[in-house]
Structure formats: structure tokens, C-alpha cells
Amino acid sequence: EVQLVESGGGSVQAGGSLRLSCAASGYTYSSYCKGWFRQAPGKEREGVAAISPGTGRRWYGDSVKGRFTISRDDNQRTIYLQMNSLKPEDTAMYYCAAGSICSWDTSEYNYWGQGTQVTVS
């Protein structure tokens, strides 16, 4: 089983930056695709970024391409989301997740963190 704990959320002005972290535990961590999702009030959860195991191939949602970067540190078992040029529409609860397939389909992810709030004003 994999456990995920996010941190790094907060309030920032438009144009600012934040870096989210997701600490993972569980011996099968390295074999999973890791992703970041977000959910704003009244909206569906959407995929933000994902990184594959092994090669580390990356995918980004259209709304964050060029502004957000996903990375991982396998030694620290941590996944990061660097968010630059933040906009008010980026305001949401951000979740990290681990799943067997890199996809924007939330049903493909078996494990979820509790979320960290990002507010951009």
C-alpha cells in the first residue's frame, strides 16, 4: 500500500510561485505513475501533471503547460509540483495520486493524498 502526504500549499498573489511536495511511503511506490490533480469548488477534479515510473515521461494539462513542472526524487520518495505564473483560476485543492497507469482518468489512481489548498488572488 502507498500513503501520500501533500504539503506546500498556501496563499499567493497572481504571478507568484509555489512548490507543492508529496511524500510517499510504501515499497511499491517506485512502480506507480505519480500525478497531481486539482479540484475547485463546484468543479470536477482535473489532471494537472503526471510523471511515469522509470523513464520519467511527463504530461501536463493544457491550462498549466509552460507554467507548472512535475518532478520526483526517488531517493526521498517525494513528488514535486513547481507552479509559476500562478493565476486566480489555479485556486483549488491540489491532490497527489499514485496509479498503475498515467492517465487523466481519476479512476486509474489507486492512492490519494489528503490535499493541500492553493489560493491565488
Side-chain angles (χ1 to χ4, degrees):
E1 183 170 339
V2 176
Q3 293 181 331
L4 304 169
V5 179
E6 303 97 333
S7 61
S11 297
V12 64
Q13 290 188 338
S17 299
L18 282 174
R19 188 175 81 156
L20 306 183
S21 299
C22 176
S25 62
Y27 75 98
T28 57
Y29 157 83
S30 62
S31 66
Y32 284 98
C33 175
K34 275 72 77 172
W36 285 97
F37 291 77
R38 68 185 182 188
Q39 188 167 19
K43 295 187 177 181
E44 292 187 353
R45 192 168 296 189
E46 66 167 338
V48 174
I51 186 167
S52 68
T55 63
R57 182 180 176 184
R58 296 168 172 84
W59 293 266
Y60 296 96
D62 289 340
S63 61
V64 306
K65 283 180 181 176
R67 300 188 298 123
F68 290 11
T69 302
I70 188 172
S71 62
R72 70 182 198 224
D73 183 332
D74 290 340
N75 289 331
Q76 297 295 324
R77 292 178 171 257
T78 301
I79 310 142
Y80 301 100
L81 185 68
Q82 178 66 44
M83 305 185 295
N84 298 328
S85 302
L86 283 161
K87 305 174 181 180
E89 50 264 43
D90 294 319
T91 295
M93 185 72 79
Y94 283 71
Y95 300 88
C96 69
S100 55
I101 297 174
C102 281
S103 167
W104 296 139
D105 184 349
T106 57
S107 68
E108 297 289 355
Y109 290 81
N110 308 88
Y111 305 103
W112 292 84
Q114 82 289 351
T116 186
Q117 178 68 37
V118 172
T119 303
V120 185
S121 60

